[in-house]
Amino acid sequence: LSMPDREDMLAGLRTNEDEGPDVTGMLAFGQAVRQSEGEARAAVIRDWMSVEHTMAMIAVDRTIRADDGLFHFYCFGGGCQNHNFYIYEQARTRQIWVIPWDLDNSFAVLRGAGFSADGFIKIMDAWNDLGVACEPREGGMQYAPSQLPPSCDPLIRGWASFPDVYQAQLTKLLDGPFSEQTETRMLFAWRNQIGSTVAEAHALDGGQISPDAWKWGLADFTERTRILRDSAAASLRD
């Protein structure tokens, strides 16, 4: 895992490109994370990031298995790299924020055999497993690219230094936004809100999703969230 240099960071900017951007803060943060270990690395993260906010972000990301993003290091051509996130530096407070995006391939649940998008993107190792060997391993299915365990990344490895905060944020997620009661209430409201529109759109254009396919999708989503909720709750008991 190589460290981006100044030119890499400037080329990767998506905001403030024409305002005399200064990436020295990001470079300093990256260097400090890479050159420290254990409690020293945890101290760097506390200094530069909101641990509570970061653990909440990870709790959501790992519970919904957004496996095509921050924690998936695809290995191609001898190198391994993750994607689908931004890093924002809040210059006035010298704070670093990670912002996931492109979350359409979430709720990945590997079921059955054969090719599937879930199998292609599935992350094989827990993000906070510090005992796994830091070498590329096979993906979730035959044709999936090899992947590097997420904990091999120095920053992610440093995030694993806060298990109590992570478990507290995961508990908060499971008891609130991702609880079965909350999900049932929200899906019921959305189903009532757009169900008739789905039927009307399909009647006007047969290429639009059919009511039966839409109902199947809702049932599939409900089953996926049940599996993921049970898995997340089990991880709290381990």
Side-chain angles (χ1 to χ4, degrees), residues 13 15-21:
L13 287 175
T15 61
N16 306 100
E17 302 99 315
D18 303 321
E19 300 178 14

Side-chain angles (χ1 to χ4, degrees), residues 62-137:
R62 293 297 75 221
T63 297
I64 69 171
R65 292 189 192 166
D67 279 2
D68 191 34
L70 174 65
F71 293 94
H72 195 145
F73 288 82
Y74 295 92
C75 299
F76 296 103
C80 305
Q81 188 172 351
N82 55 353
H83 68 166
N84 284 343
F85 67 95
Y86 292 111
I87 297 180
Y88 176 76
E89 179 187 357
Q90 190 172 352
R92 292 183 180 179
T93 59
R94 203 183 68 161
Q95 285 278 287
I96 301 294
W97 306 88
V98 176
I99 306 172
W101 74 287
D102 196 9
L103 302 177
D104 58 318
N105 288 323
S106 298
F107 304 97
V109 177
L110 192 57
R111 295 180 292 186
F115 182 87
S116 71
D118 288 354
F120 190 86
I121 66 174
K122 180 177 174 60
I123 297 174
M124 302 304 294
D125 297 287
W127 74 274
N128 51 0
D129 183 357
L130 303 183
V132 65
C134 282
E135 56 188 30
R137 60 168 297 174

Side-chain angles (χ1 to χ4, degrees), residues 105-237:
N105 288 323
S106 298
F107 304 97
V109 177
L110 192 57
R111 295 180 292 186
F115 182 87
S116 71
D118 288 354
F120 190 86
I121 66 174
K122 180 177 174 60
I123 297 174
M124 302 304 294
D125 297 287
W127 74 274
N128 51 0
D129 183 357
L130 303 183
V132 65
C134 282
E135 56 188 30
R137 60 168 297 174
E138 293 182 353
M141 57 180 297
Q142 182 178 359
Y143 300 106
S146 58
Q147 57 183 260
L148 192 70
S151 62
C152 298
D153 179 83
L155 180 57
I156 295 175
R157 197 171 188 86
W159 287 342
S161 301
F162 306 98
D164 292 343
V165 184
Y166 174 71
Q167 290 180 2
Q169 292 297 335
L170 179 55
T171 299
K172 185 177 180 180
L173 173 67
L174 294 176
D175 288 345
F178 204 60
S179 69
E180 182 178 3
Q181 294 82 0
T182 300
E183 178 192 333
T184 300
R185 183 175 66 252
M186 294 178 70
L187 285 180
F188 179 80
W190 293 337
R191 185 164 52 242
N192 288 344
Q193 182 181 25
I194 68 175
S196 59
T197 302
V198 171
E200 291 172 8
H202 183 70
L204 292 172
D205 178 1
Q208 300 297 322
I209 186 172
S210 70
D212 287 342
W214 180 65
K215 291 176 182 177
W216 179 91
L218 287 175
D220 179 66
F221 177 76
T222 301
E223 176 63 9
R224 286 171 180 265
T225 54
R226 182 194 65 77
I227 293 171
L228 297 178
R229 187 162 40 244
D230 289 348
S231 177
S235 73
L236 288 173
R237 297 191 293 269

